[in-house]
Amino acid sequence: MTSPGPRLTSIRCAKALTPSGWEDNCVIELDQTGRIAAITSNNAGATDLSLNGIVIAGLPNLHSHAHQKAIAGLTEHRIAGQDDFWGWRDLMYRANAQLDPDQLQTVARYLYTGMLQSGYTSVAEFHYLHHQPGGDPYRDCSELSARLLEAASEVGIAITLLPVLYCRGGFNNDPVQDTQRRFANTPESYLKLLQACDSLCVDNPDRSVGFAAHSLRAVAPEVLSATLEDAGSLIKDAPVHIHVAEQAREVAECLALNGVRPVAWLYDQCDVTDQWCLIHATHVDSGELDCIVKSGATVGLCPTTEANLGDGIFPAAQFLTDGGRLGVGSDSQICTCPAEELRLLEYVQRLSLQRRTVMIPDDAGSNGRALITTAISGGARALGEKSSGLVSGARGDLIEIDHEHSEFASRTPDQILDSWIFSGPNNAVRNVIVGGRHVVRDGIHPLRESASGPFRQVIAMLNNA
Ligand SMILES: [Zn+2]
């Protein structure tokens, strides 16, 4: 596989969404690391690329398990007594039990080309598959992590790798099950893994590393706090992610054993700051919601996966009104399109509240644009970025929406964004730039087709295993 091309230094945009609104005919200048150096108007100079459509910042995907792409769509057959999240989890464990490093890289390479074509330009990989099938460690503890980084670099998506700490089989300190042995580390072996992953990311502007604990089921809060402290400078300013309160059963178990709900327990026991990203946080009461807003933590929502697994409904509209920050992720990979995630995010809130246009923090404006800017800013923060959107210092990640598409005829730029989210075609994204590299051209990633054959072979092997 060939790597993406060189970084561009200047891109002319006919219409680009900046914090001050739609800018006509501006030039985005990029530095050597692919970050935005300046955005200038009235600039008649030559540029490396001209984009004539509607240009917005790329969407960060704040929660991905690449390996789950291998079973996307294969868990819809009802099994007596297992038609819930926990039954799905057993199927997922079994299907992924044999995945080897080459197969993981093949799956991730194909997956990431699809994300890019849909408008995701960066991905937080919440990676918990660490060891060999059976559970013995690889000689290199970062073997599988490295494969995800390689896949991302091959196709040109920016990646924040979140190696996941997984210590136990449940709230009651149960040992890990056989199907969880590939995930398990002690805090000591985890810190070695984190160090190894950090070494693989250093000096690469399109890679970064963060800390993740799988869940409070899998990591006791005192172990989480101690490991975070021991990680020290390795994760200074880095994001910290955790699955929390996804399932009602998880809340009930936590209440029964600890006398407190999971999110409240997390805030009691750990110093949750604005570096944190709480994945799902589905089941929260008003006090817990308030804690999250005050801490500045991001909530990571994965609407299609949460709907697919019957998780429940996070009070997202209320959270935004209260000043909370959120973003979206593809999680189980049943959907890798940010527009679809945002559409479902909005619709679930509308169904729940029996109102329309609910995810706009302001009194008025474009619902689609509000959803997109919320997801860009929350997602970037969850990936450890200090700035986001089309501003100096942010990553040079852009997507161009095809304003000439028939579905977008006679629409203003805001109406095009509304139409992309709420009625848009799947092929609305025309060009994608990541860190200044032009990775999707005319809607197609150049490696999509060559990544597809090996992906099909892996799926065939896994299904026949
Ligand atoms: Zn997840």
Side-chain angles (χ1 to χ4, degrees):
M1 297 275 167
T2 51
S3 292
R7 296 189 197 276
L8 310 176
T9 59
S10 58
I11 300 169
R12 182 175 299 284
C13 303
K15 205 164 272 294
L17 183 59
T18 70
S20 49
W22 290 103
E23 290 268 347
D24 290 335
N25 192 25
C26 61
V27 173
I28 298 177
E29 294 172 26
L30 301 152
D31 69 17
Q32 290 175 334
T33 66
R35 285 188 177 266
I36 297 175
I39 301 178
T40 55
S41 43
N42 302 315
N43 179 340
T47 56
D48 294 339
L49 177 70
S50 282
L51 299 173
N52 297 322
I54 298 293
V55 175
I56 61 173
L59 276 295
N61 178 351
L62 59 59
H63 191 67
S64 163
H65 307 289
H67 67 279
Q68 291 186 14
K69 177 67 176 171
I71 59 157
L74 290 177
T75 57
E76 302 303 322
H77 184 86
R78 185 164 178 163
I79 297 171
Q82 288 206 339
D83 55 336
D84 62 8
F85 172 88
W86 309 97
W88 168 84
R89 192 180 70 160
D90 286 344
L91 289 169
M92 185 266 289
Y93 283 173
R94 261 185 278 152
N96 292 324
Q98 297 304 317
L99 204 64
D100 70 23
D102 283 345
Q103 291 172 330
L104 177 65
Q105 187 169 344
T106 297
V107 169
R109 187 189 298 124
Y110 177 77
L111 170 70
Y112 295 156
T113 58
M115 287 183 191
L116 286 165
Q117 288 186 174
S118 298
Y120 283 128
T121 48
S122 53
V123 59
E125 194 57 56
F126 193 102
H127 175 58
Y128 57 85
L129 199 61
H130 301 307
H131 308 307
Q132 297 182 53
D136 291 337
Y138 287 103
R139 195 155 51 130
D140 173 0
C141 65
S142 62
E143 171 73 48
L144 290 171
S145 301
R147 298 309 191 104
L148 292 175
L149 293 170
E150 275 304 307
S153 294
E154 282 173 335
V155 306
I157 195 168
I159 183 168
T160 298
L161 181 67
L162 304 164
V164 172
L165 176 62
Y166 201 112
C167 301
R168 61 180 186 172
F171 283 116
N172 216 4
N173 274 330
D174 311 309
V176 292
Q177 301 164 14
D178 284 349
T179 46
Q180 297 166 330
R181 286 192 62 223
R182 295 193 78 179
F183 318 153
N185 274 297
T186 62
E188 294 72 29
S189 61
Y190 175 78
L191 289 172
K192 283 188 190 140
L193 170 64
L194 191 63
Q195 177 74 63
C197 291
D198 186 62
S199 309
L200 293 168
C201 294
V202 77
D203 294 333
N204 185 328
D206 297 314
R207 295 179 178 181
S208 61
V209 75
F211 183 104
H214 181 273
S215 56
L216 292 172
R217 299 191 307 270
V219 185
E222 63 273 17
V223 174
L224 170 52
S225 284
T227 314
L228 272 169
E229 193 158 332
D230 290 344
S233 60
L234 204 52
I235 53 159
K236 186 173 179 295
D237 299 330
V240 178
H241 287 224
I242 185 169
H243 289 131
V244 68
E246 179 176 6
Q247 284 281 316
R249 181 173 126 186
E250 184 181 3
V251 177
E253 284 179 1
C254 188
L255 265 169
L257 275 164
N258 304 302
V260 61
R261 300 166 58 85
V263 171
W265 195 35
L266 181 69
Y267 275 82
D268 283 349
Q269 305 270 327
C270 297
D271 180 22
V272 181
T273 67
D274 61 2
Q275 284 174 246
W276 284 59
C277 180
L278 310 185
I279 302 300
H280 307 309
T282 310
H283 299 284
V284 284
D285 64 20
S286 59
E288 290 173 314
L289 205 63
D290 201 35
C291 278
I292 302 175
V293 172
K294 284 193 178 125
S295 68
T298 306
V299 167
L301 298 174
C302 310
T304 59
T305 297
E306 289 158 11
N308 183 282
L309 297 177
D311 285 348
I313 301 174
F314 174 76
Q318 182 63 51
F319 183 63
L320 273 191
T321 303
D322 293 348
R325 179 161 50 200
L326 60 82
V328 294
S330 62
D331 198 354
S332 67
Q333 324 298 358
I334 51 168
C335 168
T336 53
C337 172
E340 285 188 40
E341 295 295 348
L342 293 173
R343 183 185 312 149
L344 187 59
L345 171 62
E346 170 78 24
Y347 281 171
V348 166
Q349 298 297 308
R350 289 188 190 185
L351 288 165
S352 167
L353 299 168
Q354 299 179 43
R355 288 189 355 241
R356 297 192 71 248
T357 58
V358 292
M359 297 287 285
I360 306 180
D362 306 320
D363 279 345
S366 151
N367 204 168
R369 176 168 155 182
L371 282 163
I372 288 166
T373 51
T374 294
I376 289 171
S377 118
R381 186 75 190 112
L383 270 66
E385 290 292 321
K386 290 199 167 54
S387 44
S388 61
L390 300 185
V391 295
S392 290
R395 288 189 48 83
D397 297 346
L398 328 174
I399 62 175
E400 181 203 36
I401 309 290
D402 181 7
H403 69 304
E404 293 169 323
H405 200 292
S406 307
E407 304 270 341
F408 299 148
S410 298
R411 280 159 166 79
T412 66
D414 277 353
Q415 287 173 332
I416 288 176
L417 295 187
D418 286 337
S419 302
W420 181 43
I421 300 300
F422 291 104
S423 71
N426 290 332
N427 58 347
V429 176
R430 189 158 66 180
N431 285 288
V432 178
I433 316 294
V434 178
R437 290 188 165 117
H438 194 176
V439 294
V440 170
R441 295 163 190 254
D442 290 329
I444 305 291
H445 191 291
L447 298 183
R448 180 70 173 171
E449 202 174 320
S450 58
S452 165
F455 172 74
R456 285 162 177 260
Q457 286 173 3
V458 169
I459 298 305
M461 271 191 276
L462 292 174
N463 281 334
N464 293 327

